[in-house]
Structure formats: structure tokens, C-alpha cells
Amino acid sequence: MSRTETIWLDHAATSWPKPPSVLTAVTRWFEELGVDASRGATRRHQEVRRLVATCRSKISALCGVAAEHVVFCSGATDAINLHLRSTLAAGDTVWTTSLEHNAVARPLEALRRERDLRIVVLEPERAGAGIDPEGVRRRLEHEPPPRLVVFNHVSNVTGAITDLGPIAPTIRDAGGLILADCAQSAGRLPLATLDVDALAFPAHKGLQGPPGLGVLALRANALRDPIEPLRYGGTGSSSPTLAMPDELPLRLEAGTPNTPAIVGLLAGIEWVVERGIDAIHRHELAMTERLTAGLADAIASGIVQQFGGEDTGLLALAFRDLDPHEVAMALAHDEIYVRAGFHCTTQLHERLGASSGTVRFSPGPTTTESDIDTALRSLLGCL
Ligand SMILES: Cc1ncc(COP(=O)(O)O)c(C=O)c1O
């Protein structure tokens, strides 16, 4: 099936098709470069060093962090694991939310067992909505402050935005750090103004890059204590010593980096910035609004239940008489790609009362009104 016939409404899983400039950059690395930035001094290495440095500096501008505090990881999951494991010590308290993806919930549970963490789960005022910072502020007045607050900036199920900016200084004054899982917000919302200490996100979603690459971006407060590597190994530098280098980002980047993905991410970021992050956000929201408008009667009659889609262009639907997988397979038969299931967020589905899971629709920057209308026809045909 050619890509023009495919309607991809699964951008929350991964963006597709990638911009042509991303494909060109990755192909050029394989065809003409083939090396990484720190394991040689040839013309090719110099060229790759320049591309990798440019990628770091674009991320630094995107996130409001110093370029040397942009750490390449294998994905958002890897970045989150790195931050949690290097930050949390035995007996620490962590505040998190019921909106979290397993990329946060599972490492926290593993650390709870290993390090006897105390985990507090913050609830939104309405299931699936973002967390109200004022509720967190009230909690801070009565409870011992957490070592870390980790939250989902944009829910990967309802698209709800959480921004704890208004209380970030209070959390910090009490000695806490703040980590934002920006897997769904990178490329969709501004990150430089998000008041957190660390941001984790992958290359392959809103930033349009390849899979297998993620970023941990660290602001000054996150670096007030030494940050321990998750992995130890070669860095292409300081080879005679058995210790990891002290300087960032090398200290946290052991092993051969995913350079083709890094050059692809650079092209992806340039594409996103040229289109405008705010314009992308508004476009995706408009596409989702068109979808829900077309489903208005089915929603009003209770055949379809809508979760989210108000804050960003990402929403989940549950069906009174249909299994979500059945719906997704019917759409796939018409070459329309959505995602069915629990989206790695079982806790949130429990809160929503969606015990069989949901079908998630997540349009992207190149989704057209005609794509949405075709998807609507296919979906209404299932009901
Ligand atoms: C909210 C959220 N966090 C984390 C992740 C994990 O990203 P990755 O699989 O790229 O590590 C995802 C991916 O779906 C996500 O949606």
C-alpha cells in the first residue's frame, strides 16, 4: 500500500510518514558518512561532529538547557530510567500522577521495591484531565516534600496538559526536583518555558525523527548533585581510565551512539520549527475537533464515549457495543491507522472506567480534513 493511500492517525505512537528531509539526512549518513562524532578525526568525523553539535544546540534552544546538558539516550523510556535511577535514593518520596505511561510507572515501581521509595499518586480533579497545580500546592502545605515530582506533560491517552509551573519554585524551595515526561509534548508544545528541572522525550514522535533515540535535557537544578550514569562503557575519549569522564554529556552517553537517528532528529527538528510548533498544535487540535464534531450524535447517544481531545489533538474513544481492537482492525482494513488497547497506561484506563481499553486517534502535522472525513466514514460504518 503506498503512503498516499494510508491515513496515519497514530502520531502519538510514532510520526509517519517522516518528512522527506529526515529520510534524506539518514540516507546520507548511511551512504556518505557512516561514522560517529567522537571516534576519529577524519573529514567525515568532523562533518558528523558538526551535525551532532547542531542537533544538540537545536535541542538546547527547544528546551532551554545548555547544549552540553542535552544527553542522548535510546528513547524517552531510557531517559526517564536514567533520571529516576540517578536521582532517587533509599527511602525517598516521589510524587507522580495517575496519568503516567509505563515508561514512568514501571521504573518507579521497580525502584520502590529496590530502594523502598514512598510513591504518592496525584489525581486530577476529573479522570483523564491534567493535574491542577493548586491541589499540589495544598498538599505541599500538609505533607513532607517529595525528593522528586514526575509528571506527564501531555497525556498519551487524553492529550490533557499538566503544567506544574505555578508551583515549581515551591517544590524546589522544599528541596524537590521536577522531571517532565515530554514524550507527547515535544514538537507540539513549547518546552523552553516549561518550569521543570529535567525533560525526557523521544525523537520519533512529534519531533519527526527516527526511533531508537531519546533525550534527557537537564537544567541547572537537576545538576546540583552529581548525576550517576545508568550505563558504563566506551565514550571514544579518556580511554586509559576505568572511570566514566566527569564532563557532560559524555558521562551519561556510554557506547556507540545512534548517529543516523541523531542526524535524522536534526532534520526533524528543523522541519518542525519551520512549520511552527504552535501551528502544529493548533492544526492537530482542529483535526481532532473535526473528528469529534462528526461523532457528536454517537457521543450524545452514548454509543461512543470521548476521553480528552480538548487540550491537544489526541483523544481516546470507548465504544458501548464494540471491542476497541475490533474497531482498530476495521479501520486498518480501510488503511486507516489508529491504536487500540491500554496505551501503556492501565491506571488511567481504570480511572476512566474504560475496562476494555480505548481506541486512540492522534492526527499529525500533515493530516488533512479529507483524512479525517474518510476516517469518520469508516468509523461510523463500524457502529
Ligand atoms: C507519555 C509517554 N511517555 C513515554 C513514552 C516512551 O517513549 P519511548 O517508547 O520512545 O521510549 C511514550 C511512548 O509512547 C509516551 O507516550
Side-chain angles (χ1 to χ4, degrees):
M1 192 60 72
S2 86
R3 93 170 44 155
T4 47
E5 290 164 322
T6 296
I7 295 177
W8 190 261
L9 298 176
D10 201 9
H11 286 261
T14 200
S15 49
W16 191 90
K18 302 296 179 190
S21 57
V22 171
L23 305 188
T24 304
V26 175
T27 306
R28 176 171 178 248
W29 183 86
F30 279 105
E31 287 181 350
E32 297 174 25
L33 298 166
V35 300
D36 77 21
S38 58
R39 287 161 176 83
T42 67
R43 181 197 54 76
R44 287 184 184 213
H45 292 90
Q46 283 168 25
E47 165 74 356
V48 171
R49 251 199 299 284
R50 189 188 61 72
L51 290 170
V52 172
T54 309
C55 188
R56 272 194 223 278
S57 85
K58 299 269 175 197
I59 296 168
S60 117
L62 211 60
C63 298
V65 304
E68 65 271 27
H69 299 156
V70 170
V71 178
F72 288 123
C73 302
S74 74
T77 306
D78 194 38
I80 291 164
N81 271 271
L82 166 59
H83 191 262
L84 295 179
R85 287 195 165 264
S86 68
T87 304
L88 295 170
D92 275 347
T93 297
V94 183
W95 289 8
T96 184
T97 86
S98 60
L99 296 133
E100 299 313 309
H101 187 279
N102 277 340
V104 167
R106 284 183 174 167
L108 276 184
E109 173 58 13
L111 282 168
R112 185 185 70 76
R113 288 162 186 266
E114 265 175 50
R115 300 185 191 172
D116 198 23
L117 298 184
R118 184 172 162 266
I119 296 177
V120 173
V121 177
L122 307 170
E123 298 286 351
E125 289 184 352
R126 181 171 51 84
I131 302 288
D132 174 17
E134 284 313 309
V136 184
R137 188 196 303 281
R138 284 194 293 278
R139 207 181 248 272
L140 275 169
E141 285 167 7
H142 303 292
E143 291 191 32
R147 163 75 178 138
L148 179 76
V149 179
V150 47
F151 72 95
N152 195 323
H153 187 201
V154 167
S155 162
N156 61 304
V157 177
T158 63
I161 298 175
T162 293
D163 184 353
L164 300 183
I167 56 154
T170 317
I171 295 170
R172 255 179 232 124
D173 288 349
L177 284 171
I178 309 161
L179 165 66
D181 173 357
C182 297
Q184 296 298 341
S185 55
R188 297 200 169 95
L189 293 181
L191 298 184
T193 48
L194 186 68
D195 191 356
V196 296
D197 302 309
L199 307 88
F201 51 88
H204 69 103
K205 297 184 195 274
L207 293 175
Q208 310 294 324
L213 178 68
V215 169
L216 180 65
L218 297 161
R219 299 219 178 106
N221 197 41
L223 295 161
R224 65 187 183 194
D225 298 321
I227 186 155
E228 286 310 312
L230 187 60
R231 273 181 289 281
Y232 296 77
T235 51
S237 67
S238 317
S239 294
T241 159
L242 286 180
M244 289 295 282
D246 284 334
E247 74 272 14
L248 289 174
L250 279 187
R251 180 168 179 72
L252 303 176
E253 292 183 346
T256 302
N258 188 350
T259 308
I262 295 172
V263 299
L265 174 60
L266 168 57
I269 293 173
E270 283 171 341
W271 186 88
V272 164
V273 169
E274 197 184 327
R275 250 184 142 87
I277 287 182
D278 191 44
I280 290 174
H281 170 53
R282 279 185 282 111
H283 174 78
E284 292 178 353
L285 203 50
M287 291 300 106
T288 303
E289 280 164 4
R290 190 174 180 90
L291 184 77
T292 50
L295 290 171
D297 289 346
I299 291 169
S301 66
I303 298 172
V304 175
Q305 237 186 318
Q306 174 189 345
F307 302 112
E310 292 102 10
D311 291 357
T312 60
L314 205 169
L315 95 168
L317 301 177
F319 301 86
R320 193 186 60 197
D321 308 319
L322 293 167
D323 180 81
H325 293 95
E326 230 180 290
V327 175
M329 287 309 286
L331 292 179
H333 183 74
D334 292 341
E335 202 53 21
I336 298 160
Y337 287 81
V338 293
R339 169 121 186 248
F342 294 95
H343 321 298
C344 303
T345 53
T346 307
Q347 208 176 16
L348 175 53
H349 279 78
E350 279 167 17
R351 303 293 195 276
L352 295 172
S355 56
S356 310
T358 51
V359 178
R360 181 178 68 188
F361 287 77
S362 50
T366 53
T367 304
T368 63
E369 290 185 347
S370 146
D371 291 340
I372 296 294
D373 295 346
T374 306
L376 260 173
R377 274 195 300 281
S378 178
L379 187 55
L380 291 170
C382 301
L383 301 181

